Amino acid sequence: MAKHVVLSSGSKLWRSVRCPKSELRLDLTLPCGQSFRWRETAEGHWTGVMGGRVWTLTQTEDTVWYHVYDQQEKREKGKEIERQVNVSFDEQSKAEKTATEEEMLRDYFQLNVKLGDLYREWAAADPHFKNIADIFTGVRMLRQDPTECLFSFICTSNNHISRIQGMVERLCQALGSPLCQLDQTWYHDFPALSALADSSVEARLRDLGFGYRARFLQQSAKKILDTHEHSWLDGLRKVSYLEARDALRSLPGVGTKVADCVCLMSLDKSDAVPIDTHVWQIAKRDYKYAAGKEPKSITEKLHKDVGDFFRKLWGPYAGWAQSVLFCADLKKFKNLKEASHQKQPKEEENHQEEERLTECPKTAVKREYGGTVKMLKSQSTCHKKAKLSVKKEKAV
């Protein structure tokens, strides 16, 4: 049985892409609620499904390492081809496979976008972001498959990340094609639209604990197939943000917040700013937005107004900046903030001590040896006072 690989076992099984942590932090980006298919299978190693393949990712200071597992069906097909044409299928396709996988990885993490430049722009425009940026570096927006992103976020209604992960996993196990087994764990591809649209799906998903979301999943898939082409969702990448959002909102179970998430995380709409209760709290607490006003719920007007506020503040990649603050507000990363706050007072204290010592005037010290006066190294008067105070304490 195949096992999850780890980098410490040797790098021969791995391939790599140069990428510093300032441009991508896997430990912040993958579990922050964008995608729900990645698990930490060893310390600093994340395994999940992307593009119909099972991957394990890890990183060192300036490199992202990746391993893509062979699928059982493809292994068997490759061996059959080798027997028929007497050519090594693995060797023949190795270079092509490597190039394709690296391209998929770069596309998924949108590595063409210079995140460091964006952080500097946001920090210059926003003092609060500047305080967060030093702790939460490398939070990057994923470019997910639109079908997976849409149907995963339909599951997010009145839900939290760990429960959503469980739902998406059960959805894939029930309706997706099996890819491979690693250490007793089976990995499945995300279900196709045709599988989600089947009339039996709602009852099946209700049995799996999806509740009212089961109907939305089945009906949305059916409506896409009945009304549009299979490629309709991918085609929304080519239209404007507002047009894509309105098209998504026509589907059962898709409100403004879910539509904005899909626009931002799979349809290339970097200015989409999803507004939920977390982001609304951030706007009130950290930006004093709508001080004195407390709407009972997030209305369409509030969603637009808060989104416009952040778009004006952060610019065309406002959705990316919002994801950094959302990540920083998650309870699972509370320890990072606390560690930083504990470190800052010590650094400030050391800095103040250095300034105090720097400001102390220096005086030359004269000593007489056998009638000869010698000038010794200058000594800070502050240091002399400190030494005198220590001597007095010892004398007491």
Side-chain angles (χ1 to χ4, degrees):
M1 181 187 299
K3 295 182 178 295
H4 293 94
V5 297
V6 290
L7 187 59
S8 59
S9 298
S11 60
K12 289 183 179 180
L13 295 175
W14 296 79
R15 302 202 177 278
S16 63
V17 172
R18 296 280 292 181
C19 181
K21 287 187 175 181
S22 60
E23 287 292 319
L24 170 63
R25 282 272 301 273
L26 295 176
D27 60 331
L28 297 178
T29 301
L30 294 179
C32 75
Q34 294 187 54
S35 171
F36 305 100
R37 305 218 60 198
W38 295 95
R39 302 288 186 279
E40 191 173 18
T41 47
E43 186 176 358
H45 291 66
W46 298 86
T47 302
V49 179
M50 184 232 304
R53 294 168 166 85
V54 182
W55 304 63
T56 290
L57 310 176
T58 190
Q59 67 184 143
T60 48
E61 204 58 41
D62 60 357
T63 304
V64 172
W65 298 84
Y66 64 95
H67 176 82
V68 184
Y69 299 89
D70 289 333
Q71 298 173 30
Q72 182 64 33
E73 182 181 341
K74 287 187 176 181
R75 278 201 303 267
E76 292 174 355
K77 185 176 180 181
K79 289 177 181 178
E80 179 62 27
I81 292 174
E82 288 178 12
R83 284 194 295 269
Q84 290 177 2
V85 300
N86 197 27
V87 173
S88 173
F89 181 74
D90 288 339
E91 289 298 324
Q92 193 177 41
S93 61
K94 188 175 181 180
E96 182 181 344
K97 178 174 178 286
T98 300
T100 300
E101 289 168 355
E102 180 172 334
E103 184 180 346
M104 290 175 65
L105 189 74
R106 289 184 177 278
D107 181 73
Y108 186 73
F109 287 109
Q110 305 194 72
L111 295 183
N112 60 306
V113 177
K114 302 301 181 185
L115 190 61
D117 292 345
L118 291 176
Y119 265 64
R120 283 186 286 274
E121 290 176 16
W122 298 329
D126 179 1
H128 176 65
F129 184 92
K130 185 177 181 180
N131 293 333
I132 296 294
D134 290 339
I135 310 169
F136 291 87
T137 59
V139 180
R140 179 173 283 276
M141 187 56 56
L142 303 176
R143 188 176 192 254
Q144 301 176 62
D145 172 74
T147 299
E148 178 174 337
C149 189
L150 169 63
F151 288 91
S152 294
F153 272 92
I154 289 176
C155 298
T156 64
S157 176
N158 298 315
N159 223 336
H160 54 80
I161 291 176
S162 60
R163 188 160 179 260
I164 299 164
Q165 287 176 328
M167 279 188 169
V168 173
E169 191 59 36
R170 293 195 297 276
L171 180 68
C172 295
Q173 289 173 354
L175 302 173
S177 302
L179 297 175
C180 70
Q181 184 181 17
L182 304 171
D183 292 319
Q184 309 295 331
T185 300
W186 270 101
Y187 290 87
H188 295 73
D189 202 358
F190 199 84
L193 280 173
S194 55
L196 290 164
D198 189 272
S199 58
S200 65
V201 164
E202 180 180 347
R204 192 172 177 185
L205 293 183
R206 283 186 181 276
D207 289 342
L208 292 174
F210 282 70
Y212 65 88
R213 304 172 194 85
R215 177 166 54 88
F216 292 147
L217 290 164
Q218 190 272 335
Q219 288 185 350
S220 287
K222 188 174 188 303
K223 182 170 183 178
I224 291 172
L225 292 180
D226 289 348
T227 312
H228 308 284
E229 298 177 351
H230 276 79
S231 60
W232 176 72
L233 279 172
D234 294 279
L236 294 180
R237 287 176 168 171
K238 299 176 183 178
V239 303
S240 70
Y241 158 48
L242 292 179
E243 186 178 346
R245 190 184 69 175
D246 289 345
L248 291 170
R249 289 174 60 189
S250 69
L251 300 172
V254 180
T256 302
K257 183 266 219 177
V258 168
D260 270 345
C261 287
V262 179
C263 283
L264 176 64
M265 301 172 195
S266 68
L267 298 181
D268 304 335
K269 316 306 180 194
S270 60
D271 56 337
V273 181
I275 307 297
D276 62 3
T277 54
H278 294 287
V279 179
W280 172 229
Q281 290 301 321
I282 290 170
K284 291 190 297 180
R285 182 189 68 223
D286 301 325
Y287 294 89
K288 310 305 178 192
Y289 186 87
K293 300 178 182 178
E294 192 67 33
K296 294 181 180 179
S297 61
I298 300 176
T299 62
E300 287 297 318
K301 184 179 186 306
L302 182 66
H303 198 117
K304 179 182 183 303
D305 290 347
V306 176
D308 287 344
F309 169 78
F310 284 128
R311 277 185 281 271
K312 184 177 179 180
L313 178 63
W314 294 323
Y317 279 84
W320 287 51
Q322 177 260 6
S323 72
V324 179
L325 298 190
F326 181 88
C327 179
D329 208 50
L330 293 174
K331 289 182 180 179
K332 66 172 69 179
F333 299 128
K334 185 180 178 181
N335 61 320
L336 289 179
K337 280 186 174 180
E338 291 176 345
S340 176
H341 291 157
Q342 290 171 2
K343 184 180 178 182
Q344 284 176 356
K346 291 182 180 180
E347 289 178 345
E348 290 174 3
E349 185 180 330
N350 291 338
H351 182 64
Q352 290 170 358
E353 177 66 14
E354 288 174 4
E355 287 183 338
R356 186 177 70 82
L357 293 176
T358 302
E359 291 169 357
C360 288
K362 292 185 178 181
T363 57
V365 180
K366 291 183 178 181
R367 293 283 172 85
E368 188 173 324
Y369 295 93
T372 304
V373 176
K374 292 186 177 182
M375 299 298 292
L376 301 182
K377 188 177 181 181
S378 295
Q379 189 174 23
S380 166
T381 55
C382 294
H383 286 171
K384 289 194 289 185
K385 288 179 182 178
K387 289 180 180 178
L388 286 172
S389 66
V390 171
K391 288 181 180 179
K392 287 179 181 178
E393 287 177 4
K394 287 181 179 178
V396 174

